[in-house]
């Protein structure tokens, strides 16, 4: 990617060796680079290449902020359309989306549905780089981007979303959609968890290939060998960096599943944990042994 992706560790997180737009949109989002030249991930025609696919998620006090950064390259001699399609948690909301072209960042603009489609169609017919984002009523938890990439061009995109993790069956669960639909040269997932009262029972489940699997069922696929977990009393860091060979072993289209991390919070006080900030307070209460 064109910029480095660093991780900010909250205060008190001591790890040795480690350095409002809701998803249920009634409108479409259109992105148009006014002077851009011609011109994920499903694709039409010859494949565009995904050179980078990086997911970073930071969980602080059960609140997760997740960023998806990707870059696609069109090696062909004519502009081609690439489609990025990602599943979002039902309780999540999108906080940012932008495209990066030649080092310039273009944030999304909200347009009426018909107008957004017309802008995109005109740009695509003219061979200009453009993207069209939409959600459908029954698929409000899916984020879909159609990108027209110029011949030999590169397009980077950044998607950020946030969610509050619920506690079910004694665990908090973070599920990250990992479905690039091809083997990716640089595929990285990084999860950092920080809890003031302590982190317990950090576990990475086998890749989840079905939404029907609950947090009690671990699925049938084995965890790929490139997963590492580092822990301290209050923090945990999980990294998943499969090689191209490991991705190809999963399927001909690379990895297709959810990367799932489960953990619990150490709670020694029966009344839970109360945090105060700037005149506000939040009370975390999760009774044990029910």
């Amino acid at each position: 990617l064109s910029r480095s992706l660093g991780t900010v560790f909250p205060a008190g997180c001591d790890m040795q060796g480690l350095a409002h737009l809701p998803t249920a949109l009634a409108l479409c989002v259109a992105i148009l680079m006014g002077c851009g030249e011609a011109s994920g991930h499903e694709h039409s025609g010859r494949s565009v290449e995904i050179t980078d696919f990086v997911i970073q998620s930071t969980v602080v006090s059960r609140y997760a902020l997740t960023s998806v950064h990707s870059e696609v390259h069109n090696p062909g001699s004519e502009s081609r359309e690439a489609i990025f399609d990602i599943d979002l948690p039902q309780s999540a909301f999108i906080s940012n989306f932008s495209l990066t072209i030649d080092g310039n960042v273009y944030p999304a603009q909200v347009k009426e549905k018909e107008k957004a489609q017309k802008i995109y169609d005109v740009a695509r017919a003219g061979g200009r780089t453009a993207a069209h984002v939409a959600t459908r009523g029954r698929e409000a938890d899916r984020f879909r981007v159609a990108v027209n990439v110029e011949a030999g061009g590169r397009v980077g995109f950044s998607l950020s979303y946030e969610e509050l993790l619920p506690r079910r069956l004694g665990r908090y669960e973070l599920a990250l959609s990992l479905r690039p639909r091809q083997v990716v040269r640089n595929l990285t997932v990084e999860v950092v968890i920080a809890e003031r009262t302590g982190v317990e029972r950090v576990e990475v489940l086998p890749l989840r290939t079905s939404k029907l699997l609950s947090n009690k069922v671990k699925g049938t696929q084995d965890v790929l060998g490139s997963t590492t977990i580092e822990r301290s009393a209050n923090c945990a860091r999980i990294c998943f960096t499969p090689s191209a060979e490991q991705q190809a072993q999963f399927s001909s289209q690379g990895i297709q599943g959810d990367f799932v991390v489960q953990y619990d919070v150490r709670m020694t006080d029966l009344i839970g944990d109360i945090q105060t900030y700037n005149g506000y307070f939040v009370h975390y209460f999760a009774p044990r042994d029910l």
Side-chain angles (χ1 to χ4, degrees), residues 21-284:
L21 191 63
T23 57
L25 291 176
L27 301 176
C28 286
V29 180
I31 299 179
L32 182 61
M33 281 55 70
C35 298
E37 289 300 325
S39 233
H41 299 248
E42 296 175 11
H43 53 270
S44 56
R46 290 180 55 192
S47 175
V48 294
E49 177 188 10
I50 306 172
T51 58
D52 298 273
F53 193 90
V54 179
I55 300 178
Q56 289 191 310
S57 187
T58 301
V59 183
V60 180
S61 298
R62 298 72 143 178
Y63 193 80
L65 298 93
T66 300
S67 297
V68 182
H69 304 272
S70 184
E71 185 171 307
V72 298
H73 173 232
N74 177 14
S77 58
E78 58 184 30
S79 63
R80 301 187 186 282
E81 184 179 62
I83 299 175
F84 174 74
D85 201 348
I86 187 170
D87 294 331
L88 297 174
Q90 290 185 346
S91 61
F93 68 92
I94 296 171
S95 54
N96 181 65
F97 176 72
S98 61
L99 285 180
T100 302
I101 310 292
D102 296 329
N104 298 315
V105 179
Y106 302 91
Q109 301 175 14
V110 178
K111 302 288 185 181
E112 293 182 358
K113 184 175 181 179
E114 292 77 11
K115 186 175 181 180
Q117 185 66 55
K118 183 178 180 180
I119 292 174
Y120 174 71
D121 290 342
V122 170
R124 182 183 176 189
R128 299 159 64 194
T129 300
H132 177 254
V133 185
T135 59
R136 285 164 279 192
R138 294 185 179 181
E139 297 181 348
D141 57 345
R142 298 191 73 179
F143 183 83
R144 187 175 185 271
V145 188
V147 183
N148 194 48
V149 186
E150 64 175 333
R154 294 180 180 272
V155 174
F157 67 88
S158 298
L159 170 69
S160 299
Y161 63 89
E162 305 176 21
E163 61 178 316
L164 180 64
L165 303 181
R167 189 172 188 268
R168 297 190 180 95
L169 302 175
R171 297 288 183 91
Y172 295 95
E173 179 177 292
L174 177 70
L176 304 172
S177 179
L178 197 57
R179 296 173 173 84
R181 294 187 175 88
Q182 64 178 258
V183 174
V184 181
R185 185 189 314 162
N186 174 30
L187 178 63
T188 302
V189 178
E190 181 185 40
V191 178
V192 175
I193 301 170
E195 296 289 349
R196 188 178 72 165
T197 58
V199 177
E200 290 185 341
R201 297 187 296 176
V202 179
E203 183 180 12
V204 178
L205 302 191
L207 290 171
R208 180 180 295 170
T209 57
S210 171
K211 290 182 178 293
L212 299 178
L213 299 178
S214 70
N215 63 349
K216 293 181 64 177
V217 181
K218 296 187 177 182
T220 59
Q221 301 292 335
D222 293 332
V223 178
L224 296 181
S226 56
T227 303
T228 61
I229 301 176
E230 301 177 57
R231 291 186 55 182
S232 68
N234 298 85
C235 294
R237 179 174 181 263
I238 302 99
C239 286
F240 179 52
T241 54
S243 64
E245 292 75 14
Q246 289 173 318
Q247 296 174 52
Q249 290 175 3
F250 188 87
S251 76
S252 59
Q253 291 187 321
I255 294 175
Q256 305 293 317
D258 292 332
F259 184 81
V260 182
V261 176
Q262 291 184 351
Y263 77 99
D264 200 9
V265 177
R266 185 179 298 112
M267 197 69 68
T268 57
D269 196 330
L270 293 179
I271 68 170
D273 178 36
I274 299 177
Q275 297 183 19
T276 61
Y277 178 75
N278 197 27
Y280 296 89
F281 78 92
V282 58
H283 184 195
Y284 297 100

Side-chain angles (χ1 to χ4, degrees), residues 4-29:
S4 60
L5 302 176
T7 301
V8 178
F9 295 93
C13 183
D14 181 18
M15 297 285 288
Q16 290 187 349
L18 301 180
H20 269 306
L21 191 63
T23 57
L25 291 176
L27 301 176
C28 286
V29 180

